[in-house]
């Protein structure tokens, strides 16, 4: 797992504070921000995020339900909405980042409970155990 994936998964799992992640995200160039949002959207799909995860994700992200990314995530056809979210203008990117980190967290919690409760080989599920945390906390 690459360093970016470890950082994003650490944020989604609450191992790292979201505000720290936002500071990191804001320090990136525009193209890198897009890549991070794209990666997050892909991780959300892999974690089997659902439209029904939207309200809890919005709450965790600390954004208003009327913000554009929040409206999009609750509209249905989540894959299409994720594409719209990652392509939002620059002034919406921090809200999109917060929302996608939260969406990944909600979906991954469900995935862990259903498929990984008795253990798994997913490296990102072992970040808090000391395995691979060096790069995630660097």
């Amino acid at each position: 797992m690459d360093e970016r994936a470890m950082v994003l998964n650490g944020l989604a799992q609450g191992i790292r504070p979201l505000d720290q992640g936002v500071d990191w995200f804001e320090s990136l160039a525009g193209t890198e921000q897009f890549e991070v949002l794209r990666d997050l959207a892909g991780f959300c799909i892999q974690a089997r995020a659902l439209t029904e995860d939207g309200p809890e994700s919005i709450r965790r992200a600390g954004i208003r339900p009327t913000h554009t990314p929040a409206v999009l995530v609750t509209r249905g056809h989540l894959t299409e909405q994720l594409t719209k979210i990652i392509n939002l203008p620059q002034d919406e990117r921090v809200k999109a980042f917060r929302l996608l980190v939260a969406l990944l967290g909600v979906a991954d919690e469900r995935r862990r409970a259903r498929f990984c409760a008795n253990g798994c080989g997913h490296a990102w599920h072992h970040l808090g155990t000391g395995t691979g945390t060096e790069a995630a906390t660097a």
Side-chain angles (χ1 to χ4, degrees):
M1 177 173 25
D2 69 17
E3 184 176 346
R4 181 185 293 169
M6 288 176 45
V7 168
L8 296 175
N9 277 284
L11 290 167
Q13 293 174 35
I15 295 169
R16 299 179 76 170
L18 183 56
D19 289 339
Q20 185 182 74
V22 169
D23 290 343
W24 167 76
F25 181 76
E26 288 180 320
S27 75
L28 300 175
T31 56
E32 291 175 300
Q33 286 182 350
F34 174 80
E35 291 169 2
V36 166
L37 293 175
R38 184 195 60 213
D39 289 351
L40 274 169
F43 296 158
C44 289
I45 291 167
Q46 288 175 343
R48 301 180 183 155
L50 305 169
T51 302
E52 293 79 17
D53 297 331
E56 176 61 15
S57 301
I58 293 164
R59 186 192 68 73
R60 289 186 189 187
I63 63 174
R64 286 187 246 144
T66 55
H67 285 147
T68 304
V71 170
L72 290 171
V73 81
T74 58
R75 277 195 177 161
H77 305 286
L78 190 57
T79 302
E80 293 172 28
Q81 302 309 330
L82 290 172
T83 299
K84 292 176 185 177
I85 290 169
I86 67 173
N87 285 296
L88 286 171
Q90 184 71 35
D91 64 336
E92 296 283 346
R93 284 190 173 168
V94 170
K95 290 177 263 189
F97 175 77
R98 295 178 71 91
L99 179 66
L100 294 180
V101 166
L103 180 62
L104 176 58
V106 170
D108 194 52
E109 282 176 16
R110 183 180 52 254
R111 182 181 187 184
R112 281 175 181 240
R114 287 188 185 162
F115 304 109
C116 300
N118 296 321
C120 68
H122 300 123
W124 58 91
H125 287 167
H126 302 284
L127 294 176
T129 64
T131 305
T133 56
E134 298 79 17
T137 57

